[in-house]
Amino acid sequence: MSTKSESCSDNCSSCQEDCTDRREEHIDFSEDLHHMSSVKKVYCVVSGKGGVGKSSVTSMMGVTMNKMGYNTAILDADITGPSIPKAFGIKEKARATEIGILPSKSQEGIDIMSVNLLLENDTDPVVWRGPIIANTVKQFWSDVIWTDIDYMFIDMPPGTGDVPLTVFQSIAIDGIIVVTSPQELVSMIVTKAVKMAEMMNIPIVGLVENMSYFQCPDNGKKYKVFGESHIDEVAKEHGLKVLAKIPIDPEISSACDRGEIEKYDKGYLEPLGKMLVKIEEDKMTKIAVASENDTVTEHFGHCINFNIYDVEDGKIINSESIPNPGHKPGFLPNFLNDMGVKVIISGGMGGGAVDIFNEKGVEVIIGASGNAKDAALAYLDGSLKSTNAVCDHNHD
Ligand code: ADP
């Protein structure tokens, strides 16, 4: 491979030469949300083929997060097989206004957008070509007004075709949930999903096995209707988690058929819901800086105030100053830990306090000085390290 020629115009997109200076164009397919929308977290629910219960899992996931008190939305991207509105018994169509499309609301308040909410008759088939289908999904993201959504779940079309690809490229997705059933070629499907996720640089949250078994209501025995499950081995092979195993339950299909999925309440997806919340909590940190007003103090126990910084995704989003509630041995570390503090920064600190913080899993940074907020920022960018020099004189 040669270096670029003297006549090079530096426009790689119009040149076929495979030279060492070639720069690949990065094409950004991402679509912006409607300017009035706010969507915090987006999870895609995918499957290898139709009929494994992807839409049912998406619906139940929406119901779970909504019950947990989060503003929830479902974007039905399964354009040719839309089944979300039916599962929620939504009859009212979505409303197009001058400023954007308003999603329909389920009885419990989940915002839902689906092509069925735009068609005159639910039974009208969608006989559109791939690019039009993909554009419709993009519009569901960019032209619908999604108001103050904490969690959005996208019911993806099955497989790894044109539409899923467009969705992954155009929507800011936080994670993928893969739904399988025991009768599928699970290993192949999961491997494909993992490769696609890697290509798109989106993490897989884990696997949900649907129709995992049937528990006989008469004798309580579990029957593996579709044969032995291999989900645990496959998950292990890829370093993934099995997030839930949902049995075959006629109540799921009848609840979907009646449009009452919100009344189905067996909690199979609750652990997954809690895990999604924990993912966010783990990104949040509280840093306390033992201070004298806005300056890092030398003496942890005798500081005047604690400057507390709430951190999300590595950035300070909130700060407050709390007066030192008093200096009694052992009291302050417990006080700060109870407040949810994960990092304490100080100039100096006694061994007793350090031990309690360590026990509680609170990181201790000693040896800091100067402006309190600057110290917190330096901790966040990795430039502030603890000297670990514990004070031996008596100041907690
Ligand atoms: P997909 O979205 O993968 O095509 P659906 O969620 O539409 O699949 O499910 C296909 C059918 O199976 C639906 O009638 C649904 O009600 C039913 N179903 C899904 N999961 C279960 C389950 N765990 N037990 C019983 N029926 C189920």
Side-chain angles (χ1 to χ4, degrees), residues 47 49-60 78 81 83 155-156 158 179 210-213 246-257 264:
S47 68
K49 62 167 187 166
V52 300
K54 170 184 53 61
S55 303
S56 309
V57 169
T58 312
S59 305
M60 290 193 278
D78 197 351
S83 44
D155 186 12
M156 294 287 277
V179 181
N210 190 33
M211 309 191 192
S212 195
Y213 56 90
I246 305 174
I248 297 172
D249 182 354
E251 280 182 38
I252 294 181
S253 45
S254 67
C256 286
D257 289 347
Y264 181 81

Side-chain angles (χ1 to χ4, degrees), residues 47 50-60 74-90 112-117 119 122 126 140 155-158 252-253 255-261:
S47 68
V52 300
K54 170 184 53 61
S55 303
S56 309
V57 169
T58 312
S59 305
M60 290 193 278
I74 299 178
L75 189 160
D76 188 358
D78 197 351
I79 301 290
T80 54
S83 44
I84 300 289
K86 182 156 192 331
F88 284 86
I90 295 180
I112 294 174
M113 190 61 214
S114 166
V115 76
N116 258 8
L117 300 173
L119 299 174
D122 287 359
V126 174
F140 282 179
D155 186 12
M156 294 287 277
I252 294 181
S253 45
C256 286
D257 289 347
R258 289 195 312 273
E260 292 182 348
I261 193 66

